[in-house]
Amino acid sequence: HSLLLRYQNQMIALLKELVKVLQPAGVQSIEECRLLLAAVEEAIRNGIIAERVHLMQPPHVDEAMRATRTVEQLSAEVAQLESDRNGPFMLQIRALKIDRMRAIFNKLGATIESQRAAVRALLELLMVVTQQQQQQQVQESMPLLRYTLFKIASTVLADCQEESFFATDETHPTKLARVMSGLCTALDAGASRDLLLTTLRAHFMLACPLLVPRGSPAGLTGEALLKDMAFRQKRIRDTEGNITLVWEERTAWLQRMTKVVCVFAVSILQPEQMPFSLQDGWTWCARMLNLCARYCQSTPPSSPPFYMATALEVFLRVVSGHLLRAFGRPFLSMLRCLLTQVVPHFAVDMPNKDILQEFLQRFTASEGRDFMSIFQNSVTPSPNRL
């Protein structure tokens, strides 16, 4: 920060040095840094460099990819174990009633009481599982606790992608965020909590690549690209009984991704222990800005992917006020860069482009003073430690 303040008129000269710092975070070229640096330049002009400016570095994509690969491997192991319904492992799962976890989430409602009941039921289940695992003389290939935490995380992600889940209904994402927060907080600090936090983060990034976020590998097309972006396949049976696998439409995929992004946004607002924090929200915004820059700064410039406006709009409408309070004017500078240097490159028919543009114009013009989150009650304290 002292170097930036001292050499205010030599930002371009320092650009190559900054690239070296940003390179591990996924920045690929000097051109890709320009949007990021524009926010810093404006902060310097206004004398508002903050201590948290370094948080504009995005999370390491390779780390996220390793985490999601681990979940994919676990998913394959779980599927293999569950395929043998009468095997010793699944008999133990049924005996411990782990297979009834879905019933806990089915009873989850909008009230604090139902959310506390869900946290309490999950804690009791984890306590039984932990005791059983400690009594086992022979260690299973898939430890019971790891299996249970995996099922909790996968159930949360399955719930927030259901057709009956509405991202615009405050109660839907908020109840899941509060249960995650209550459970992570209630668990004693140690291996179990760390494993749950890690498992939840990885499940979110695997279900929704937009949360990493990252660009697809060069040259990836067709079905390989759809799989990389977490498109789903569904079975279609024709009149003759033949089954065909069909990839979901872009509109359906975008609706699912929006739901996961919304739960992510609400999660970072929770006041207690969570797999995500405001810092994750800040770095996510910076990474999305850098990802857009890859397209805007290309020769010739091209439009960022079709999902950008929708993902940014739902996220910013939930958390912008909190990010502004936490990070101050550098966050406003980031939004101004987004408005003036990125949105103009969005395709005319990009979903929610106009809505995002209107929101950014109003928020930056008023400096957040007239901002009203679409979820006014999402930061109500989650269930207390039980």
Side-chain angles (χ1 to χ4, degrees):
H1 297 125
S2 60
L3 283 175
L4 290 173
L5 290 170
R6 183 177 178 185
Y7 298 103
Q8 295 182 25
N9 299 322
Q10 300 182 37
M11 291 297 297
I12 301 303
L14 291 172
L15 190 55
K16 291 184 178 181
E17 295 301 317
L18 286 171
V19 169
K20 294 178 182 178
V21 176
L22 295 171
Q23 192 73 37
V27 177
Q28 302 298 319
S29 65
I30 290 178
E31 289 74 17
E32 193 176 348
C33 291
R34 292 189 186 275
L35 289 177
L36 180 63
L37 291 173
V40 180
E41 286 180 304
E42 180 171 342
I44 287 175
R45 284 196 299 271
N46 294 294
I48 52 175
I49 285 290
E51 292 181 1
R52 294 189 178 93
V53 137
H54 70 280
L55 293 177
M56 297 184 79
Q57 293 186 23
H60 202 295
V61 175
D62 287 343
E63 181 181 351
M65 296 306 294
R66 284 195 298 271
T68 56
R69 280 195 294 270
T70 299
V71 173
E72 289 177 327
Q73 294 170 358
L74 285 173
S75 298
E77 292 180 34
V78 167
Q80 184 176 1
L81 288 168
E82 292 180 344
S83 64
D84 185 2
R85 295 290 300 170
N86 297 317
F89 185 83
M90 290 309 298
L91 289 175
Q92 189 176 31
I93 294 300
R94 288 198 291 274
L96 296 174
K97 300 182 179 180
I98 301 175
D99 60 329
R100 300 183 186 180
M101 185 185 302
R102 162 53 58 191
I104 298 175
F105 284 88
N106 287 343
K107 296 177 182 178
L108 181 59
T111 65
I112 291 290
E113 290 72 21
S114 72
Q115 294 155 17
R116 286 177 174 169
V119 172
R120 187 162 48 249
L122 291 171
L123 283 174
E124 291 172 354
L125 178 60
L126 288 173
M127 185 180 300
V128 171
V129 168
T130 302
Q131 291 172 349
Q132 180 66 27
Q133 183 168 293
Q134 291 172 347
Q135 294 171 5
Q136 288 180 337
Q137 296 179 352
V138 179
Q139 182 65 47
E140 299 279 357
S141 59
M142 169 71 73
L144 284 173
L145 180 61
R146 188 175 187 85
Y147 175 87
T148 307
L149 295 177
F150 176 91
K151 297 300 287 186
I152 290 174
S154 59
T155 303
V156 169
L157 267 299
D159 270 19
C160 70
Q161 296 178 78
E162 290 289 343
E163 290 185 7
S164 58
F165 183 98
F166 294 99
T168 53
D169 185 336
E170 180 176 0
T171 61
H172 287 194
T174 302
K175 67 182 182 183
L176 289 177
R178 287 176 178 166
V179 167
M180 287 190 289
S181 177
L183 186 58
C184 292
T185 303
L187 285 174
D188 292 331
S192 297
R193 179 194 287 180
D194 293 342
L195 183 57
L196 177 58
L197 292 172
T198 302
T199 304
L200 282 168
R201 286 181 66 94
H203 269 80
F204 268 88
M205 290 185 288
L206 179 62
C208 181
L210 279 58
L211 293 183
V212 174
R214 57 179 176 80
S216 296
L220 208 60
T221 58
E223 292 191 356
L225 177 60
L226 295 176
K227 184 177 180 181
D228 182 70
M229 293 303 295
F231 276 73
R232 285 179 173 176
Q233 286 183 302
K234 60 181 179 179
R235 296 174 179 269
I236 302 296
R237 187 185 299 273
D238 60 23
T239 54
E240 298 180 356
N242 300 316
I243 296 177
T244 305
L245 291 177
V246 179
W247 291 100
E248 67 180 334
E249 297 292 333
R250 289 202 322 178
T251 302
W253 173 86
L254 188 55
Q255 288 176 346
R256 283 197 303 108
M257 297 301 104
T258 300
K259 295 173 183 180
V260 182
V261 171
C262 186
V263 175
F264 163 69
V266 176
S267 297
I268 71 174
L269 303 182
Q270 301 308 308
E272 298 179 337
Q273 187 73 43
M274 280 296 292
F276 300 105
S277 65
L278 278 175
Q279 177 175 330
D280 291 304
W282 172 267
T283 54
W284 184 80
C285 286
R287 181 58 186 168
M288 289 290 274
L289 193 64
N290 289 333
L291 190 57
C292 288
R294 188 173 301 177
Y295 298 89
C296 300
Q297 297 292 337
S298 62
T299 304
S302 60
S303 172
F306 73 97
Y307 54 77
M308 279 295 181
T310 302
L312 286 166
E313 189 265 338
V314 70
F315 178 83
L316 292 174
R317 281 188 178 275
V318 175
V319 305
S320 287
H322 292 79
L323 289 177
L324 179 59
R325 286 193 290 274
F327 300 104
R329 287 187 175 274
F331 176 67
L332 276 177
S333 299
M334 187 189 296
L335 294 190
R336 290 192 180 105
C337 287
L338 183 63
L339 174 63
T340 60
Q341 301 185 47
V342 172
V343 172
H345 291 281
F346 283 177
V348 176
D349 59 348
M350 181 182 289
N352 293 311
K353 171 191 173 182
D354 294 338
I355 297 175
L356 173 64
Q357 186 173 26
E358 181 184 359
F359 168 78
L360 290 172
Q361 288 171 342
R362 293 183 60 183
F363 190 93
T364 54
S366 68
E367 296 188 342
R369 284 188 291 271
D370 63 350
F371 171 74
M372 181 175 292
S373 172
I374 58 173
F375 296 156
Q376 289 302 300
N377 300 315
S378 59
V379 294
T380 301
S382 54
N384 294 328
R385 185 180 180 88
L386 299 177

